[in-house]
Every structure is written in C-alpha cells, then in structure tokens.
Amino acid sequence: MAGGEAAGAVAASVDAEVVLAGGGIAGLATALALRRAGVARDVVVLERHAELRATGAALTIFPNGWFALHALGVAHKLTSRYDAYETSKVTNLESGATQFFRFAGNKACSEGVKLRPIDRKALLQALAEELPPGTIRFSSKLVSIDTEPAAAAGSSETAVVRLEDGTVIRAKVLIGCDGVHSVVARWLGMSEPASSGRSAVRGLSVFPDGHGLKRELRQFLSEGLRAGMVPISDIEIYWFLVNNTVPAGKPPPARSHAVSNQLQNIRKKASNFKFTEKEAAGDPIKTLREVTENLANHMPEEYLDVVRHSDHNNLSWAPLLYRNPLSLLIGHQAAHGAVTVAGDAFHPMTPDMAQGGCSALEDAIVLARALARAATPAEGIAAYVAERRWRVAWMVAGAYLSGWVQQGGTNVTGVRGYMVKLFRDWIFYRFVFPRLADTMWFNCGDLTPHKEGKDHTE
C-alpha cells in the first residue's frame, strides 16, 4: 500500500526528524501537513496495528473538516465519492413527536464543504496515499518515552522512543496521535480521560442491492437511549446506539411515576443487559444480540433492519470518554519542549457533535503551520498549543453537553430529568443545536510552506 510498509526487520537504533505515534486520522493528517508545509522531510508514523485502522466504521465530516482536507490537498478524492446531506430528523419514541432541523443553520454552503458521512478507512487511505512509501511503520507499538540532551548546541532535547520490538528511535520532534489512552499524553502528565456516563455501539451495515433510504440523519430517542443512522453510500449505512452506562451489580434508579408502565418496562429491558458491555465488546454476535433483542428491541423496525445487516468487521461497543475541558485551558501539560499531542490524544471528546475526526484535521493544519513559522520546534509547539486549547476546550464541552441533553440528562431522574427532556424537545433541537452547528464552519486556514531555509530538523 502507498505510504506504508510492514515493520519487518528493523535496526536496533534509528534517527528521525519527526515521529508521530499513531496512524489514525490525526497521525496521517499531521504527517501529510508537515510535508505539505515543508517542515520536515523525514517523517515516521508509528502504527501499532498491522494495517490501517477502521475503528468507528464511519464519520461525518463537517465544513471545518473539509476546509482542512482542502488544505491537505485530498478533499477532491472524497467529495466525488460521498454525497452530502443537510437535514436531521429526530423522533421521540415516548411522545411520538418528530422534529426536523438543518445542520447549516443560516450559513450558505458551497458543494465542497457540505456535511458528508464517509467511510473512515477511505479517509485514512486517501491520506496515506499521499505519503512516501515507508512513512508508516506498521506493527510498531510505542512502549516508553525518554529524553536526552540534543547533540547540537542550543537545540532542544531529543525524544527517545522505544518500541515493543526493541527498536529505539531518536526524534527531534515527537507528536502523540495515539488516541484516548495516549502513551505520549500520559508521559506529558495530562489528566486521564473521564467517563461521560454513556457508551456507544457503532456499526456499518451493507445492503448489496441498495437500501433506498433518504440522505439524512435519522435519530430515535428513548429513556436512556439514543439511536441513529445515516446512509454513507447507496449500499452502506452507518448506525449507532448510545446507552447510559449501568454500573455492574447496581440496579437502575427509580423513575418518575408519571411515565407509563409500558415505558418503564422498556427502561427495565434497557438496563437489564443479557451481556455486560465488557463481555459483548469485541464479540460482534453478542453485541448485535444485545442491541436487537434487548437494548433497542423497541426501536422502529427500519432501524433494527439496518442493525441486522451489520458488517461484523466494523462493529464496536465502548464507553464514551472525554478530557476535562478546564484542564485543557489551565493546564500546561500538552507540550514539553518538542513533544506534544494531537487529535484524541490531546482532546478526547464524546461524538455528539461529530467533531473527533474534524478537530484532528484542524490540529494537523495548525500544528504544521506553527512549526513552519517558528524559529525552533519547541516554540512552534508552544504556539500550536496556545492557539488550539481554547477551541478544543469549547468543542469538548459542547460535545459533552450536547450528548448529555440529547440523552435526556445522563442518569438524571425525577424533576431534573423531566426539565432536561423538556429543554431538549422544545428548545435544544430547535434553537441551540443549529447554533452549535454554525460553529463547525470554522476555517483553520491554509498551509504555507516555510521559506528562507528554516528547517527545524537540520
């Protein structure tokens, strides 16, 4: 595959200009951005898996993501393959009410920046194809990080990266793009991701003869559950189910007496798992049984039919984690000299505003541009963190609050729960979410190759 090769036999010690830990969206986009901006020629991407990952099955790219992909020069490879959509339909199964809203709000959109759901692996391949062969080192798991004085006088420290196979890589710049449980973020001393109190099952369903569904996001709300589905092509549909996490051995809390007996039975089923999340995660058969026979068995048949067509290789069930946005604002751990983080390693967030992948693409552009303009890597990384922390803190907070409200107040009961749902049904979808969507039209800017021989790695 273009842009990568298996680790195979490796030298005991390797020198590199820039090392990126993680070959997901953040890692590949940042590697490409660094090359486009002319910051470094020798970029190494460490991917612990044997091939490009596709965890999450699909994602929606909002305008801010398309602006970044245009800057990277790969947008055209994806817009020609995936159709755009502009509307969402939300049905409350308790009341039977359905609401429609537009993601664009009052924004005028060109064809190139409309919302498009795309296959995650297609995005990774589009980025990887632009990288020179050998850039991605597959089956390369990062296990530890250290620093040592740089050989050149006046230079910053050198990052010493050790891999599971014993390889040692010395890098002038280290960027952690290694996900929510980032080794690099932990080394930097960043706070551990926190639980949102919710988990999500996500899958990709295939209809070889076509599904015939309209290009829009459909969502269904129930007590402690939120389900959704959106076509990404004529034969593929991305679907998800978000459930309130129920601690093992703890019965669900009592609910308002105003709810009908039928709904109380539904809630009881939703919290009385046939399999625990830990048991079902990683086992597609158990996961699908839990969704179709228990958690979502009261969902509309059209949704259940989509779930039953799931590709077992693109199915996941995992807790939704996020980093405290306050720690992103006041903490200074996101950078240490020429070491920093990007994407989920920097700002893990819940998927409720579909900004995980888009924000990672923004990071790539801003980081490469900051490094290109700075006199030293440490100065560039400091500038990148200073520029990004306010926006990403807002995105993490907005995503968490959006999911909490849409869920009807995660694990909130009684009068408070009733008020949250009232706010959701009458105010949030009509007035708040369209404004949140408007903030997703942020343009991170272009990549301008640096000049005057300012190569930080020479």
Side-chain angles (χ1 to χ4, degrees), residues 169-191:
I169 304 178
R170 288 174 171 80
K172 297 176 181 179
V173 178
L174 171 62
I175 305 168
C177 303
D178 46 342
V180 176
H181 303 290
S182 168
V183 175
V184 180
R186 190 174 296 116
W187 182 84
L188 287 169
M190 300 186 73
S191 63

Side-chain angles (χ1 to χ4, degrees), residues 96-158:
T98 295
Q99 298 186 60
F100 295 84
F101 63 88
R102 295 180 66 249
F103 286 104
N106 296 319
K107 299 286 186 179
C109 53
S110 66
E111 185 62 29
V113 294
K114 288 183 178 180
L115 277 71
R116 282 180 169 83
I118 68 174
D119 186 290
R120 183 178 294 267
K121 195 162 187 176
L123 172 58
L124 296 179
Q125 290 172 336
L127 295 169
E129 289 167 356
E130 300 298 313
L131 297 172
T135 298
I136 308 171
R137 296 171 60 101
F138 292 110
S139 301
S140 299
K141 183 179 180 180
L142 171 64
V143 294
S144 70
I145 305 166
D146 203 349
T147 59
E148 62 183 25
S155 298
S156 59
E157 295 178 318
T158 296

Side-chain angles (χ1 to χ4, degrees), residues 220-227 241-243 270 295-296 298-299 407:
F220 307 97
L221 308 178
S222 182
E223 184 69 19
L225 293 173
R226 179 161 56 92
L241 179 73
V242 181
N243 63 279
L295 282 175
H298 60 291
M299 290 290 168
Q407 205 77 0

Side-chain angles (χ1 to χ4, degrees), residues 24-295:
I25 294 173
L28 298 183
T30 303
L32 181 55
L34 291 171
R35 293 190 61 84
R36 291 275 195 259
V39 175
R41 294 180 294 273
D42 180 17
V43 178
V44 176
V45 178
L46 303 176
E47 171 52 51
R48 65 189 182 92
H49 293 88
E51 60 183 3
L52 293 178
R53 290 172 287 166
T55 304
L59 73 162
T60 296
I61 301 296
F62 273 77
N64 58 322
W66 289 114
F67 287 131
L69 288 171
H70 278 289
L72 290 170
V74 299
H76 65 283
K77 298 165 67 174
L78 298 165
T79 54
S80 61
R81 294 175 56 184
Y82 299 99
D83 292 334
Y85 72 102
E86 298 180 352
T87 60
S88 176
K89 182 161 65 174
V90 183
T91 300
N92 187 325
L93 299 182
E94 297 181 17
S95 67
T98 295
Q99 298 186 60
F100 295 84
F101 63 88
R102 295 180 66 249
F103 286 104
N106 296 319
K107 299 286 186 179
C109 53
S110 66
E111 185 62 29
V113 294
K114 288 183 178 180
L115 277 71
R116 282 180 169 83
I118 68 174
D119 186 290
R120 183 178 294 267
K121 195 162 187 176
L123 172 58
L124 296 179
Q125 290 172 336
L127 295 169
E129 289 167 356
E130 300 298 313
L131 297 172
T135 298
I136 308 171
R137 296 171 60 101
F138 292 110
S139 301
S140 299
K141 183 179 180 180
L142 171 64
V143 294
S144 70
I145 305 166
D146 203 349
T147 59
E148 62 183 25
S155 298
S156 59
E157 295 178 318
T158 296
V160 181
V161 174
R162 290 178 172 82
L163 307 185
E164 189 175 50
D165 65 2
T167 302
V168 175
I169 304 178
R170 288 174 171 80
K172 297 176 181 179
V173 178
L174 171 62
I175 305 168
C177 303
D178 46 342
V180 176
H181 303 290
S182 168
V183 175
V184 180
R186 190 174 296 116
W187 182 84
L188 287 169
M190 300 186 73
S191 63
E192 289 294 318
S195 171
S196 66
R198 293 174 286 127
S199 297
V201 187
R202 288 173 271 201
L204 185 67
S205 296
V206 180
F207 293 77
D209 297 325
H211 51 70
L213 295 183
K214 184 179 179 181
R215 295 302 173 93
E216 64 181 2
L217 172 63
R218 294 286 310 279
Q219 292 194 78
F220 307 97
L221 308 178
S222 182
E223 184 69 19
L225 293 173
R226 179 161 56 92
M229 58 186 188
V230 59
I232 65 173
S233 70
D234 291 335
I235 63 171
E236 295 176 314
I237 299 176
Y238 170 64
W239 65 270
F240 63 86
L241 179 73
V242 181
N243 63 279
N244 289 348
T245 302
V246 179
K250 183 177 179 180
R255 303 295 186 179
S256 169
H257 64 276
V259 183
S260 69
N261 289 334
Q262 180 182 5
L263 286 176
Q264 290 198 28
N265 289 333
I266 290 173
R267 296 170 184 174
K268 185 176 180 180
K269 286 184 178 181
S271 59
N272 184 25
F273 296 105
K274 294 179 184 297
F275 304 105
T276 66
E277 182 180 311
K278 185 176 181 180
E279 290 174 336
D283 187 327
I285 302 299
K286 288 183 178 180
T287 297
L288 290 177
R289 283 184 59 191
E290 185 60 44
V291 172
T292 58
E293 298 178 12
N294 189 34
L295 282 175

Side-chain angles (χ1 to χ4, degrees), residues 280-347:
D283 187 327
I285 302 299
K286 288 183 178 180
T287 297
L288 290 177
R289 283 184 59 191
E290 185 60 44
V291 172
T292 58
E293 298 178 12
N294 189 34
L295 282 175
N297 66 351
H298 60 291
M299 290 290 168
E301 182 58 32
E302 60 180 325
Y303 174 81
L304 293 175
D305 183 56
V306 168
V307 174
R308 295 187 187 106
H309 280 79
S310 294
D311 175 3
H312 289 187
N313 295 320
N314 287 290
L315 195 63
S316 64
W317 190 4
L320 300 181
L321 307 177
Y322 71 104
R323 178 160 283 131
N324 187 326
L326 187 60
S327 72
L328 294 171
L329 286 178
I330 65 177
H332 302 285
Q333 297 91 351
H336 174 83
V339 180
T340 190
V341 282
D344 285 343
F346 186 4
H347 42 74

